Amino acid sequence: SFLRIKVIQLPPQFEIPDAEGKPPLITKGEDIYALRSIYTGPRNYLSLGLLPMKDNNAVRPTNIITRPDHEIWGVKDGEALRAWFQTAFPRMNFKQGGMISDEEWDRFATAEGTRFPPCQYSEGMAVWDESGSSGVALVGDAIHAFSPDIGQGVNAGLADVVSLDHALLGLDTVTGQEVSKDSNTKPSFQQNLERYQKQHAPEIASLIRLARFGA
């Protein structure tokens, strides 16, 4: 996908104007917000994403995630970018002297941000020594990398941990059932890691195929 991301800082408890005659919404640090632009094209649509924060008085980092050819990446002047945002979000106070300082607009305009990696995953998910009594298993971003399009980053990591936990307990990672009915022949540590890799790998491969489609 190679989606690009950079962050602009909004003030704590900033206001989101409501319809005429109604009081504005005063944002709270613990709440999630997604502010959509009036633009809808692939190169000018923008969503401002704000994740929850514990401190209600802290500055709100706001994620800007776009295609690599989005219009904002070609605007390097703070005042020009402020005007672009004011047009894209007419209800918000992005006017000159508004909620965001000129210094922050300048910083944001010149920031190069970073890029999400292409969708990829590791086919190997575990290794063990010759004795089979010790080893290493991978979970989360160590196995899979994809952009946030499908909203499965945290869920995928938790699914890895659950699958590994089942495997280490001698359980089938898919059904959660014991793989051995004989209490005297419990699977070895190496067999548990092998099962984790064999049974969970198809799930990871399917996830990456979905991410590539979503991106």
Side-chain angles (χ1 to χ4, degrees):
S1 67
F2 294 103
L3 293 177
R4 298 184 67 177
I5 176 174
K6 61 179 176 177
V7 175
I8 189 168
Q9 307 282 1
L10 298 187
Q13 303 174 47
F14 67 91
E15 296 183 353
I16 301 177
D18 206 323
E20 292 185 9
K22 295 184 179 180
L25 171 68
I26 300 176
T27 57
K28 298 179 181 179
E30 62 186 11
D31 291 339
I32 298 175
Y33 300 94
L35 310 178
R36 317 295 191 191
S37 70
I38 63 171
Y39 297 140
T40 58
R43 295 185 63 247
N44 59 14
Y45 169 76
L46 204 62
S47 176
L48 310 183
L50 294 91
L51 297 175
M53 299 180 63
K54 185 176 182 180
D55 186 354
N56 194 44
N57 295 312
V59 172
R60 297 300 299 272
T62 305
N63 296 320
I64 310 292
I65 302 174
T66 75
R67 292 167 43 135
D69 59 348
H70 194 282
E71 291 178 359
I72 66 167
W73 298 103
V75 184
K76 301 299 183 181
D77 176 73
E79 172 57 23
L81 193 56
R82 182 206 61 75
W84 190 96
F85 267 73
Q86 186 60 72
T87 302
F89 300 90
R91 290 171 55 193
M92 301 300 295
N93 183 17
F94 291 149
K95 300 180 178 67
Q96 191 169 30
M99 72 165 75
I100 299 177
S101 69
D102 292 343
E103 291 77 13
E104 176 60 11
W105 283 118
D106 289 338
R107 183 205 64 79
F108 179 66
T110 56
E112 290 299 320
T114 188
R115 296 174 184 265
F116 287 99
C119 299
Q120 55 189 306
Y121 69 101
S122 171
E123 295 183 357
M125 296 168 53
V127 293
W128 45 86
D129 65 4
E130 294 181 356
S131 69
S133 61
S134 63
V136 175
L138 304 180
V139 297
D141 291 348
I143 304 177
H144 40 69
F146 48 86
S147 66
D149 301 57
I150 59 175
Q152 290 298 310
V154 174
N155 291 340
L158 292 175
D160 299 338
V161 172
V162 171
S163 293
L164 178 59
D165 179 61
H166 283 172
L168 294 178
L169 291 174
L171 306 178
D172 186 292
T173 65
V174 178
T175 66
Q177 302 298 313
E178 290 190 12
V179 296
S180 175
K181 302 300 182 181
D182 186 350
S183 60
N184 296 318
T185 58
K186 294 293 185 181
S188 68
F189 180 74
Q190 177 177 332
Q191 290 172 328
N192 288 337
L193 290 183
E194 289 175 336
R195 186 181 327 102
Y196 168 66
Q197 180 166 268
K198 180 180 180 180
Q199 294 185 338
H200 196 52
E203 177 72 17
I204 300 303
S206 298
L207 176 65
I208 294 302
R209 284 196 296 271
L210 175 62
R212 287 170 178 164
F213 176 78

